[in-house]
Amino acid sequence: MAELQRPTLCCCRKVLTVPGNKSCEGGRSLAHCRLVDVASASNFHSFKLRHFHLDLHLNFAVKRITGWQVLELTPVQPGVQSLILDTHPSLLVHSVDCKVPGASGAPDVVLSLTYRIEPFTDYGSSLNISLPAAVIRPHRAFRVTIRYTTTDGPAIWWLDAELTCGQTRPLVFTQGHSVCNRSFFPCFDTPAVKSTYSATVRVPEGVTVLMSASRSAYSKQDRVFQFSMEYPVPAYLVALVAGDLQHADIGPRSRVWAEPCILTCAVSKLGGNVERWLNVAEGLFGPYVWGRYDIVFLPPSFPIVAMENPCLTFIISSILESQEFLLIDVIHEIAHGWFGNAVTNATWEEMWLSEGLATYAQRRITTEAYACLENPCYPFSFSFSEGVNPSSLMNLFTYEKGFCFVSYLSQLCGDIERFDSFLRAYIEKFRFSSVIAQDLLDFFLGFFPELKESCVAQREGLEFERWLNGCGPPLCEPDLSAGKALTGPVQHLCDLWGMDAPEPQVISTFDLSSWSTFQTVLFLDRLLDRSPLPQEVMSLLSSCYSALLDDMNAEVQIRWLQIVVRNSFYPDLPRVRSFLHKHTSRMYTVPLYEDLCGGVMKCFAVEVFYQTQARLHPNLRRTLQQILFQSSAFNTSTAPSLLTSPPSAPSSPTDPTANGTIALRDVNVSA
């Protein structure tokens, strides 16, 4: 209890309070504490964003988006003289004007505004717009129109035809998480700000456009798509995809979108399961508020596994190789409909409020629907400070330690169904808003007052401070004994391989081909954790499993190949080469290149990169060039060309964890 009484500034610059203490720094109430988002240059505190509209034209020939954006704003603070939005060097602003409602029924007044672009960080700039006195009247609405062009910023992924699944037509998609959408449109690029939006998108004939919107319409004659999101969302959840896409209904409120060549496979893998999962989730956490739940499968260049864009989950087509991973990933994105989308973390440092709760919800859904083994892990955290790109801090920490903290809260209340009721009430209370950890904890103690009273009376029990601000693994782990029937054989085989001289005859009694994907992944993860291994062990592992693993899905293969690389096992390097020639997704290439460059195989990595770079998306090519040739003389901020000789560079990339570890709330992950 003594540690709970020690005030500690959290990531959003507030003091973490204890039961009975409702003040924050300086004695002010939490409602008056100013939230700080170090990843945003905007002055989002000064305005209420009511709505914004995008009017866009997609030009595939030159890979360019042109158009304008209209923001409906209301000043909420006196004396504001400028509007500051997040933007990016890849986005070219042409003009800014403002429409002010006329007084006493007079016509609206349109004013041309002056603006300047200022540097912020390596992942963005600030757009500083000067506002005339006629605009800055508190609580009086006005509109700002920004005309702009944007090309190949970090949010916008143009794919030539050869990089798509069907290799017949080009495709473009956007990926806003975490702070990338400032290169798609100027915005308050912070999860603390939510608004409704609408969009008009003009495209060439034969192109289908989808957006993360609740309503859509299409004019075939004008080749214009109209979208409207009637529920408030943060900027990072605005998403677009356009290309040769077809659909098939898979439920009363769900359809699958994909390129024609993979649509049948996607439908067969999902079947009628999505509606079943939605029904289970609604029984646990309350109504699904977004209307539709559609899924679009994207080419292998999609940089992550999946993204929980409201109404339209983006998911990588490579996941179709593994039925089990597909199941878990879709259920996880469904869970985000409640945790992350409806109720969102207000800052990136507290991303666990979305991912930890979504992971807990995902496992509640799978528990109700299936007996499903998953593989929790508890790595240490990354620090996050001003100038650090949240998108670069990608690990499982906020998923798994966040999940363990939510499980700890469930254990405190003593009844999992009572905790389900709390989560339903939490969603109802904070729906369509952004929260901090203190909001969750205050509501938790208000929902279970007996816990608060017991804590005050006994001066012990609640460990919120240590959970949120302490480093390292979780203080306790949830009961996973129900999965021992599946984990037992895995642990037994791992123990056998832990011996100095494994017995081949005993090892051969374990048939990995009969295991689930999760069992095989867990086994390989354990071996990866033990690396480096003796070369004689690696030789025996290879003779036992290499050929078998060749026929398994990419999630299994990449783990074995990371073991090969981290142990410098040269006989299996041809398998690494074949894998990197086949897979062009960031999620499979980057980990292998990082391991290759972190050891003694950098020359091999450079050779494979030269052989495959023409088939890599420019954004991924840029990332791999940075890993391979990181140097102050090598400019990775511009779109890279194909290389014929490597720049001189240090032999290993910068380690983002070199500055040590901090706490659960001070990390960020991808969706």
Side-chain angles (χ1 to χ4, degrees):
M1 189 65 184
E3 289 187 1
L4 285 173
Q5 294 173 337
R6 185 174 65 251
T8 302
L9 283 177
C10 74
C11 60
C12 50
R13 312 307 184 243
K14 296 182 182 180
V15 173
L16 179 64
T17 60
V18 298
N21 179 6
K22 291 292 183 182
S23 65
C24 68
E25 189 177 14
R28 295 171 294 168
S29 68
L30 284 171
H32 292 90
C33 285
R34 181 170 173 132
L35 191 73
V36 175
D37 186 343
V38 297
S40 174
S42 68
N43 60 344
F44 64 92
H45 291 289
S46 301
F47 300 91
K48 169 64 178 177
L49 177 60
R50 297 155 56 107
H51 182 83
F52 70 90
H53 176 76
L54 299 172
D55 193 298
L56 307 173
H57 177 262
L58 307 187
N59 189 326
F60 284 85
V62 294
K63 299 180 180 177
R64 180 182 301 157
I65 299 177
T66 58
W68 62 86
Q69 175 191 29
V70 180
L71 300 98
E72 298 181 13
L73 299 155
T74 301
V76 295
Q77 294 180 348
V80 179
Q81 298 180 343
S82 63
L83 168 65
I84 305 174
L85 300 172
D86 292 301
T87 185
H88 190 271
S90 63
L91 189 150
L92 176 63
V93 175
H94 301 299
S95 67
V96 181
D97 58 54
C98 174
K99 180 179 287 188
V100 183
S104 303
D108 293 347
V109 179
V110 178
L111 304 172
S112 179
L113 303 182
T114 60
Y115 62 91
R116 65 182 185 274
I117 308 293
E118 297 180 335
F120 175 54
T121 65
D122 62 355
Y123 56 85
S125 310
S126 66
L127 171 60
N128 193 315
I129 303 169
S130 298
L131 299 176
V135 173
I136 51 175
R137 298 181 183 180
H139 310 296
R140 178 181 176 182
F142 67 98
R143 293 184 177 184
V144 170
T145 300
I146 304 170
R147 288 174 169 79
Y148 70 96
T149 298
T150 188
T151 52
D152 61 346
I156 303 170
W157 292 65
W158 297 94
L159 303 186
D160 295 328
E162 56 267 25
L163 292 181
T164 66
C165 296
Q167 299 186 357
T168 57
R169 295 184 181 180
L171 182 143
V172 63
F173 64 83
T174 66
Q175 169 58 19
H177 193 286
S178 305
V179 290
C180 295
N181 263 357
R182 61 191 65 184
S183 67
F184 183 16
F185 53 90
C187 56
F188 294 135
D189 201 358
T190 169
V193 174
K194 291 186 171 185
S195 75
T196 58
Y197 82 90
S198 55
T200 300
V201 185
R202 296 169 172 82
V203 293
E205 186 175 359
V207 174
T208 298
V209 183
L210 309 174
M211 290 193 75
S212 54
S214 53
R215 296 181 180 179
S216 63
Y218 173 57
S219 171
K220 185 175 182 179
Q221 179 179 354
D222 300 324
R223 298 198 301 274
V224 172
F225 288 81
Q226 302 277 359
F227 301 95
S228 175
M229 171 52 83
E230 57 193 306
Y231 309 108
V233 296
Y236 79 91
L237 289 179
V238 178
L240 174 150
V241 58
D244 182 16
L245 300 170
Q246 297 182 3
H247 75 270
D249 291 335
I250 57 171
R253 48 183 162 173
S254 301
R255 62 180 40 163
V256 167
W257 291 88
E259 293 179 69
C261 62
I262 62 170
L263 180 61
T264 301
C265 175
V267 171
S268 66
K269 289 293 182 73
L270 289 171
N273 287 321
V274 170
E275 182 62 24
R276 176 189 179 191
W277 299 332
L278 285 168
N279 287 331
V280 171
E282 287 184 312
L284 293 170
F285 311 120
Y288 178 76
V289 298
W290 302 98
R292 295 201 59 80
Y293 181 80
D294 294 343
I295 302 171
V296 56
F297 284 88
L298 297 177
S301 291
F302 188 56
I304 59 177
V305 179
M307 181 63 204
E308 67 273 15
N309 302 308
C311 306
L312 183 67
T313 286
F314 284 17
I315 192 163
I316 192 168
S317 57
S318 307
I319 204 70
L320 292 169
E321 293 183 11
S322 170
Q323 181 77 17
E324 292 165 88
F325 273 91
L326 174 65
L327 176 151
I328 292 301
D329 286 323
V330 172
I331 292 178
H332 183 84
E333 305 314 318
I334 286 175
H336 272 306
W338 288 261
F339 306 100
N341 293 0
V343 182
T344 308
N345 49 284
T347 70
W348 293 118
E349 292 98 332
E350 291 191 332
M351 190 63 185
W352 69 269
L353 284 166
S354 291
E355 295 299 350
L357 280 161
T359 302
Y360 178 89
Q362 160 202 321
R363 289 171 180 161
R364 283 291 290 125
I365 296 169
T366 57
T367 298
E368 293 294 314
Y370 304 99
C372 183
L373 168 69
E374 297 180 55
N375 180 24
C377 59
Y378 313 106
F380 287 83
S381 63
F382 291 152
S383 63
F384 178 54
S385 56
E386 189 169 355
V388 175
N389 187 341
S391 298
S392 68
L393 304 180
M394 300 171 66
N395 62 44
L396 290 175
F397 190 85
T398 48
Y399 292 78
E400 296 300 350
K401 191 173 180 182
F403 161 73
C404 288
F405 179 58
V406 178
S407 298
Y408 165 72
L409 296 180
S410 175
Q411 293 167 10
L412 285 178
C413 78
D415 186 327
I416 194 169
E417 293 185 355
R418 285 189 70 201
F419 192 68
D420 291 341
S421 298
F422 158 73
L423 291 177
R424 285 194 294 272
Y426 167 78
I427 292 294
E428 183 67 28
K429 168 72 174 177
F430 295 106
R431 182 180 292 135
F432 302 132
S433 63
S434 299
V435 300
I436 61 171
Q438 194 69 56
D439 297 322
L440 172 69
L441 299 181
D442 287 345
F443 190 72
F444 177 78
L445 293 175
F447 197 89
F448 300 106
E450 66 275 12
L451 292 176
K452 179 177 177 180
E453 294 167 2
S454 174
C455 173
V456 172
Q458 301 178 22
R459 295 178 175 271
E460 63 182 18
L462 302 184
E463 299 278 0
F464 297 162
E465 174 77 9
R466 289 180 61 197
W467 270 100
L468 297 182
N469 290 334
C471 299
L475 301 182
C476 63
E477 299 178 15
D479 182 11
L480 302 176
S481 58
K484 282 190 175 179
L486 295 174
T487 61
V490 176
Q491 186 58 52
H492 189 188
L493 184 57
C494 288
D495 292 341
L496 291 174
W497 281 106
M499 298 178 180
D500 293 335
E503 289 290 339
Q505 296 83 359
V506 177
I507 291 170
S508 65
T509 62
F510 291 82
D511 181 11
L512 267 62
S513 65
S514 66
W515 281 9
S516 71
T517 295
F518 286 114
Q519 287 176 295
T520 307
V521 164
L522 179 58
F523 170 61
L524 295 175
D525 281 343
R526 297 275 175 86
L527 293 179
L528 193 60
D529 290 340
R530 296 179 184 178
S531 295
L533 301 167
Q535 284 296 297
E536 59 271 19
V537 171
M538 281 300 304
S539 296
L540 186 54
L541 281 168
S542 178
S543 64
C544 290
Y545 304 127
S546 274
L548 176 65
L549 299 176
D550 284 343
D551 296 328
M552 295 189 180
N553 62 66
E555 291 291 339
V556 172
Q557 289 183 40
I558 189 174
R559 286 165 168 84
W560 168 245
L561 297 179
Q562 285 186 281
I563 294 171
V564 168
V565 172
R566 292 189 190 182
N567 287 276
S568 301
F569 188 67
Y570 289 93
D572 272 4
L573 273 187
R575 289 185 162 89
V576 178
R577 185 191 303 275
S578 297
F579 185 88
L580 290 174
H581 274 260
K582 177 182 177 182
H583 293 280
T584 58
S585 168
R586 183 187 189 93
M587 59 188 271
Y588 296 133
T589 54
V590 169
L592 276 175
Y593 275 100
E594 287 178 336
D595 283 347
L596 287 165
C597 292
V600 297
M601 298 183 173
K602 184 173 180 180
C603 290
F604 173 82
V606 172
E607 177 186 337
V608 174
F609 174 74
Y610 285 161
Q611 295 169 351
T612 61
Q613 59 176 326
R615 297 189 296 105
L616 302 177
H617 187 275
N619 288 0
L620 177 57
R621 194 185 309 147
R622 179 187 299 114
T623 298
L624 297 182
Q625 287 175 350
Q626 187 172 11
I627 293 171
L628 291 165
F629 315 120
Q630 189 162 40
S631 167
S632 58
F634 183 71
N635 183 4
T636 60
S637 64
T638 58
S641 58
L642 299 183
L643 299 183
T644 57
S645 61
S648 58
S651 60
S652 63
T654 301
D655 181 1
T657 66
N659 292 329
T661 61
I662 51 175
L664 172 61
R665 62 181 357 135
D666 296 318
V667 298
N668 171 68
V669 294
S670 75

